[in-house]
Amino acid sequence: MPLWGNSDAVEAKPKHFTAAEKLNVYATEKGWVKKITGTGGRANRIQEEVIVAIGDLGTALNLADITAIDWNIDSFDKSDGGTLSATVTFNEPVEVATDGGTPHLAVTNGNQGSGSGRGPHNLLYASGSGTNRLTFELAIAAANGATNASDVLSIAANCLALNSGTINEMSTEHFTLESGADEFIRLEGVGVGYINQESNTASTITSSSAIGTAAGSITVTA
């Protein structure tokens, strides 16, 4: 097995990172990069550190894929209410458009508490467009009948739905020295040229049951 992916057939992130570190590792046209927070004069600035340089890696991997789904909460209390929140991690940066509808993440309710018919709970897209990590949220009022004590909330396979919105991988730009491209520019030290802008393509929004299982579950308390 290779130490990292470099094609649509082998898309694994660099293996020397932990599962937690891989959440901030993704593919770009420069190669595998890691998102880091700057220090000193660049304090609090988000930067990309190239970990493995592979030209046009984003293109080679084809569509952006879901690599992890994680809860942003570790408990939920019916009496208090609160916000169900989870993050979907892709292997490339993606852009979300909500003009036609808002993508959502379906959370399964096992109805282990009294009664039945609760769930699924659709967490709406909240933030993260332009990055490889999208956050989905659903606010539930205190003592709301959406959950009961002992209900087990979990994430199943293929839980993400576009709902007439879009989740596209970020468009790429290539500098060429050809005429007839989209936008005329001048790059200092390079000369006159053009930028060819590729349109965004839809991301893969399917996910395996293993990804949901890895996320774990939350048992509702009274």
Side-chain angles (χ1 to χ4, degrees):
M1 292 290 290
L3 296 178
W4 49 74
N6 59 6
S7 69
D8 192 27
V10 182
E11 297 189 349
K13 296 180 180 182
K15 300 182 184 301
H16 61 279
F17 289 111
T18 65
E21 290 173 328
K22 286 180 181 178
L23 297 177
N24 290 313
V25 174
Y26 49 88
T28 71
E29 295 308 295
K30 298 177 183 178
W32 289 108
V33 302
K34 183 179 181 183
K35 183 173 66 177
I36 60 174
T37 302
T39 59
R42 298 179 179 272
N44 300 320
R45 295 183 185 179
I46 302 300
Q47 301 172 275
E48 291 182 345
E49 178 182 1
V50 178
I51 304 301
V52 182
I54 304 174
D56 294 331
L57 176 63
T59 300
L61 296 188
N62 201 5
L63 305 181
D65 294 315
I66 295 174
T67 57
I69 301 176
D70 298 284
W71 289 103
N72 297 321
I73 59 173
D74 53 20
S75 63
F76 188 83
D77 186 273
K78 175 183 174 68
S79 298
D80 295 339
T83 299
L84 299 180
S85 178
T87 294
V88 178
T89 301
F90 289 83
N91 62 349
E92 299 180 55
V94 294
E95 292 178 322
V96 180
T98 58
D99 297 344
T102 303
H104 65 246
L105 174 71
V107 169
T108 299
N109 187 325
N111 286 242
Q112 285 81 0
S114 61
S116 61
R118 295 179 298 282
H121 308 292
N122 291 328
L123 282 56
L124 297 180
Y125 163 74
S127 62
S129 183
T131 75
N132 72 312
R133 307 194 71 202
L134 305 181
T135 298
F136 295 78
E137 297 180 343
L138 174 66
I140 299 178
N144 187 276
T147 64
N148 272 342
S150 299
D151 283 352
V152 176
L153 308 180
S154 59
I155 297 171
N158 302 323
C159 57
L160 191 60
L162 294 178
N163 190 33
S164 298
T166 62
I167 300 177
N168 292 341
E169 61 178 282
M170 296 280 285
S171 60
T172 58
E173 296 182 344
H174 297 285
F175 181 76
T176 72
L177 294 177
E178 301 173 358
S179 60
D182 300 319
E183 183 179 355
F184 182 80
I185 62 167
R186 180 181 295 274
L187 297 183
E188 182 177 358
V190 177
V192 177
Y194 295 81
I195 286 290
N196 283 337
Q197 296 180 325
E198 298 179 358
S199 60
N200 290 1
T201 54
S203 304
T204 302
I205 62 167
T206 56
S207 59
S208 67
S209 58
I211 287 178
T213 300
S217 61
I218 291 177
T219 300
V220 178
T221 56

